[in-house]
Amino acid sequence: MKILFLDQSGKPGGAELCLLDIAKAYRDRCLVCLFADGSFRAMLEEEQIPVKVLATSIDVQKDSSTLQGVYSIGRLIPVALEVARLSRQYDLIYANTQKALVVGALASVLSRRPLVFHLHDILSLEHFSRTNQRIAMTLANRFASVVIANSLASQSAFIAAGGQAKLTQVVYNGFNLDCYRDVASQSQPTRQALGFTDPDFVVGHFSRLAPWKGQHLLIAALTHCPESVSAILVGDALFGEGDYVTQLQQQVKDLNLEHRVRFIGFRSDVAALMAACDLVAHTSTAPEPFGRVIVEAMLCGTPVVAAAAGGAMELVADGVTGWLVAPGDPVKLATVIQQCDARPELVKEIAATARIQASQRFDLTAISRQIDRILIQVAG
Ligand code: UDP
Ligand code: GLC
């Protein structure tokens, strides 16, 4: 079975990192087409996954109006024609993002190849305009053989927005467990390299810098915590959120937290950094479709506190495998941070339970098998 993967981004967001893991299993019989160039291409190449960058000027915003939506679809046509031509050498088209769905749908009609849509988003107004939701829904309903939803939350939102339930299958992101086996040994050296000492309580936030990822809430929470609590913000503004970065830096300055908050930028050694943290905080203000960072923290054996909405509710059992706090509440977040600092034995136990459960639920080998079964069925 030969697969043509499509993804609109040249940058490594969670959907792209998920695709990277899935595509590894097909590296000798697939092509990943990107609609923009960037560091994600290099990551694919490093894994010997064939990749081709098709265009660099497609720009459909999440809040596009109907007119903009139609105009943007028009601009996708040349890309779709090229994908249709390429797809004749493949058994199926696998669209990993919304714009990839538009291109993949047109191409699948032209080349008569089946289409799989991997839905990484919650199709709600918090994330997408009504027009974009309608476009995604109509194309998925009409042209996709299967919609793989990354969580029950994404599946429910798809159905609530008019998507056909019978098309959907929920498959969680998978993680290569080998990458997390030995992380504990990296904890101390990484902590030292970051300049932290033992008594410091380090809260890590791992995410692109974007308003809905809620880094500002963790910064605000620090003002309710003792001086020994610091935060590292790991990640970059990937999709043009420069204003938010400026806003975060200003917030840190205004609150006199320069000595307690560090902006680390995008890193490829997330596991080592997570292992060096005392707690990982996930603070999304809108429902998180899945939340890779939550699972990664669990696999590292680092306790995690997450915003209680969307896919995060499926990943964390409050008080058993981590903590859930109402989204947008820095005071509650600060309470959890302080409780974790005060009760290390309980925290250790919870992190250990989370690690075992996460290894069982999100093992890449099992998840890849699940995906493979779906694709074989679709390719018929
Ligand atoms: N990530 C990374 N380097 C960073 C920050 C984040 O590699 O500096 C990774 C992180 O480990 C996770 C992904 O980016 O695998 C983010 O995925 P998630 O599902 O948490 O959120 P998304 O950005 O996709 O909404
Ligand atoms: C998207 C979602 C994120 C999810 C990732 C992988 O980027 O925002 O929640 O974890 O896809 O499915």
Side-chain angles (χ1 to χ4, degrees):
M1 178 181 45
K2 293 174 74 185
I3 305 166
L4 185 65
F5 292 103
L6 306 178
D7 193 292
Q8 71 200 45
S9 177
K11 294 179 182 166
E16 287 69 36
L17 295 173
C18 175
L19 173 64
L20 181 68
D21 280 334
I22 291 170
K24 277 179 199 168
Y26 306 100
R27 51 162 72 89
D28 56 341
R29 52 204 160 104
C30 79
L31 175 66
V32 179
C33 287
L34 305 179
F35 306 166
D37 204 356
S39 58
F40 181 46
R41 175 173 59 82
M43 289 169 136
L44 288 159
E45 283 169 351
E46 218 165 280
E47 292 293 340
Q48 281 96 47
I49 297 166
V51 54
K52 187 174 169 73
V53 178
L54 291 184
T56 52
S57 61
I58 299 167
D59 187 27
V60 190
Q61 297 302 327
K62 282 190 170 183
D63 54 358
S64 297
S65 66
T66 309
L67 235 145
Q68 283 166 326
V70 171
Y71 172 69
S72 307
I73 289 179
R75 291 182 62 186
L76 291 175
I77 287 172
V79 183
L81 292 176
E82 163 123 44
V83 169
R85 189 184 59 75
L86 286 167
S87 63
R88 294 204 170 88
Q89 297 160 47
Y90 295 86
D91 299 308
L92 66 85
I93 302 172
Y94 189 116
N96 198 52
T97 57
Q98 308 289 328
K99 286 175 220 169
L101 170 65
V102 177
V103 168
L106 289 170
S108 101
V109 173
L110 294 171
S111 66
R112 304 211 185 139
R113 294 296 183 273
L115 174 71
V116 170
F117 176 39
H118 198 149
L119 174 66
H120 292 279
D121 297 303
I122 290 189
L123 293 177
S124 67
L125 285 174
E126 281 146 311
H127 290 284
F128 291 93
S129 70
R130 242 181 247 293
T131 304
N132 283 346
Q133 285 183 44
R134 247 196 314 265
I135 292 173
M137 214 53 55
T138 311
L139 294 177
N141 280 347
R142 175 78 184 77
F143 299 108
S145 300
V146 173
V147 175
I148 299 173
N150 64 353
S151 65
L152 291 166
S154 296
Q155 180 193 41
S156 306
F158 175 79
I159 295 166
Q164 289 178 38
K166 65 171 198 266
L167 287 179
T168 62
Q169 297 205 35
V170 173
V171 182
Y172 289 134
N173 279 215
F175 298 81
N176 180 353
L177 303 184
D178 291 340
C179 302
Y180 301 91
R181 265 187 240 290
D182 194 31
V183 283
S185 67
Q186 296 161 46
S187 161
Q188 275 315 318
T190 311
R191 222 174 144 90
Q192 267 167 19
L194 291 169
F196 291 112
T197 58
D198 253 0
D200 294 318
F201 190 88
V202 184
V203 185
H205 195 294
F206 297 77
S207 184
R208 55 202 161 87
L209 303 177
W212 77 275
K213 289 295 187 178
Q215 282 87 354
H216 57 282
L217 294 166
L218 175 57
I219 296 171
L222 286 187
T223 61
H224 303 281
C225 295
E227 276 281 315
S228 56
V229 179
S230 296
I232 58 169
L233 303 182
V234 185
D236 251 339
L238 290 188
F239 304 112
E241 297 95 345
D243 288 352
Y244 183 59
V245 180
T246 313
Q247 188 188 311
L248 289 177
Q249 283 160 347
Q250 192 59 46
Q251 183 189 11
V252 169
K253 224 169 162 182
D254 293 346
L255 296 172
N256 290 322
L257 289 172
E258 282 108 325
H259 59 300
R260 290 170 66 194
V261 179
R262 282 198 220 149
F263 292 84
I264 308 268
F266 186 90
R267 295 276 291 245
S268 51
D269 56 345
V270 162
L273 289 164
M274 282 184 170
C277 292
D278 297 292
L279 178 71
V280 166
H282 163 273
T283 57
S284 295
T285 58
E288 183 72 55
F290 176 75
R292 289 175 60 87
V293 291
I294 298 169
V295 177
E296 288 163 351
M298 290 174 164
L299 292 173
C300 289
T302 304
V304 61
V305 54
M313 310 282 286
E314 297 160 50
L315 308 182
V316 179
D318 189 31
V320 181
T321 57
W323 292 268
L324 290 168
V325 293
D329 189 340
V331 178
K332 285 262 166 59
L333 178 59
T335 309
V336 172
I337 293 172
Q338 289 180 82
Q339 280 169 355
C340 287
D341 194 8
R343 304 190 60 189
E345 285 313 312
L346 172 72
V347 168
K348 227 174 166 175
E349 202 181 300
I350 286 181
T353 308
R355 190 173 198 174
I356 294 168
Q357 277 201 16
S359 317
Q360 289 163 351
R361 295 178 72 200
F362 308 107
D363 178 1
L364 181 61
T365 313
I367 303 275
S368 296
R369 244 184 257 131
Q370 233 179 312
I371 300 264
D372 196 53
R373 272 198 295 271
I374 294 173
L375 301 188
I376 287 172
Q377 215 169 21
V378 171

